[in-house]
Amino acid sequence: MWKYEKKLQYPVKVSTCNPTLAKYLMEQYGGADGELAAALRYLNQRYTIPEKVIGLLTDIGTEEFAHLEMIATMIYKLTKDATPQQLRDAGLSEHYASHDSALYYENAAGVPFTAAYIQAKGDPIADLYEDIAAEEKARATYQWLIDLSDDPDLNDSLRFLREREVVHSQRFREAVEILKEERDRKKIF
Amino acid sequence: MAKTMPIEYYQQLEEIQTADFVLVELVLYLDTHPTDAQAIEQYNQYAQYSKQLKRTFESQFGPLELGSINQIPDYWQWNRSPWPWEV
């Protein structure tokens, strides 16, 4: 089961209402390399991965939900005071027509989230390499978002999230080594 | 809906976020280094410290998680603002 904590993992502040930035951030909300895809990918892989890696997938998958909440908070804060005209200027009129100012699991181009973004191969090395690639793609996306953003408060939170991708990638690389070591040991005996 | 809370709310919350971040980092590290006794000791230390900070915060601002004591006998504080995205 899961337990909700009534706090963000890291503070999220935004300087001004900025629906254009919110639109870009949707890439990390419902996009292919976003936080929802990450959380669902890792938590789903747990059931068929060797025992030594289950804890890591559980804990990183859980942290991704905390990141999803941070992204949601950013989008919420950047759009909550926006007028329909401001949303239209930001290219969000199609979003507004269907969702008003509600959040929706879609990418920056408005494409809805799909489970086709994630894989579950059942092969531990294949799954972990996908996880490493996912973290590196998410890190790159955060870099592009920071480059696009001119909001210093928002960038502080985005930098935190970018660093987390680096740490997760590192831990997944260690998991690969642990599994390789275990496999080689089995061959010897 | 954006709520302005007293300064202690933000200060105490940030201390909790800092302590819990140490815990998250140690948890992931220990998941791949399960025999590092020094890291386990640090984890236990920070787990206790985080609990202390949360008890102080919750006595003023209500429960951070289900399972914490609701300290006002006649009002259910959990359902009360602010939620994390509102501050």
Side-chain angles (χ1 to χ4, degrees), chain A residues 103-116:
Chain A
L103 274 71
Y104 189 65
Y105 291 117
E106 62 191 348
N107 71 10
V111 180
F113 181 81
T114 164

Side-chain angles (χ1 to χ4, degrees), chain A residues 3 6 8 59 77 164 174, chain B residues 31-32 64 66 78 87:
Chain A
K3 216 167 167 178
K6 206 173 173 180
L8 297 180
D59 296 329
K77 288 189 172 185
R164 296 311 293 152
E174 288 164 358
Chain B
D31 283 342
T32 54
L64 278 168
L66 297 178
W78 173 255
V87 287

Side-chain angles (χ1 to χ4, degrees), chain A residues 163-181:
Chain A
E163 293 313 303
R164 296 311 293 152
E165 309 297 342
V166 175
V167 172
H168 291 175
S169 172
Q170 195 58 42
R171 293 288 167 256
F172 282 134
R173 285 161 203 257
E174 288 164 358
V176 168
E177 293 312 309
I178 289 169
L179 292 188
K180 281 183 181 166
E181 211 177 283

Side-chain angles (χ1 to χ4, degrees), chain A residues 43-132:
Chain A
L43 293 173
N44 180 64
Q45 287 175 357
R46 296 183 301 160
Y47 304 98
T48 49
I49 208 94
E51 198 191 338
K52 282 192 166 167
V53 188
I54 295 177
L56 188 67
L57 283 173
T58 303
D59 296 329
I60 294 184
T62 299
E63 189 181 346
E64 305 296 4
F65 277 126
H67 296 173
L68 188 68
E69 189 184 32
M70 284 178 66
I71 296 290
T73 300
M74 292 175 190
I75 295 171
Y76 168 73
K77 288 189 172 185
L78 288 167
T79 54
K80 70 183 167 65
D81 299 320
T83 62
Q85 181 60 48
Q86 281 176 307
L87 291 171
R88 186 155 65 180
D89 293 344
L92 282 171
S93 39
E94 291 86 350
H95 177 97
Y96 182 76
S98 178
H99 309 291
D100 191 287
S101 52
L103 274 71
Y104 189 65
Y105 291 117
E106 62 191 348
N107 71 10
V111 180
F113 181 81
T114 164
Y117 288 153
I118 61 182
Q119 181 56 291
K121 213 62 212 171
D123 179 292
I125 297 294
D127 280 346
L128 282 169
Y129 276 135
E130 172 172 325
D131 301 347
I132 294 165

Side-chain angles (χ1 to χ4, degrees), chain A residues 127-182:
Chain A
D127 280 346
L128 282 169
Y129 276 135
E130 172 172 325
D131 301 347
I132 294 165
E135 295 293 338
E136 297 299 338
K137 287 187 283 181
R139 174 189 54 74
T141 307
Y142 279 120
Q143 187 59 58
W144 312 150
L145 290 170
I146 291 164
D147 294 349
L148 284 167
S149 160
D150 51 4
D151 184 326
D153 289 325
L154 186 78
N155 281 353
D156 178 60
S157 308
L158 288 174
R159 267 186 234 109
F160 171 83
L161 291 172
R162 183 188 60 189
E163 293 313 303
R164 296 311 293 152
E165 309 297 342
V166 175
V167 172
H168 291 175
S169 172
Q170 195 58 42
R171 293 288 167 256
F172 282 134
R173 285 161 203 257
E174 288 164 358
V176 168
E177 293 312 309
I178 289 169
L179 292 188
K180 281 183 181 166
E181 211 177 283
E182 202 172 50

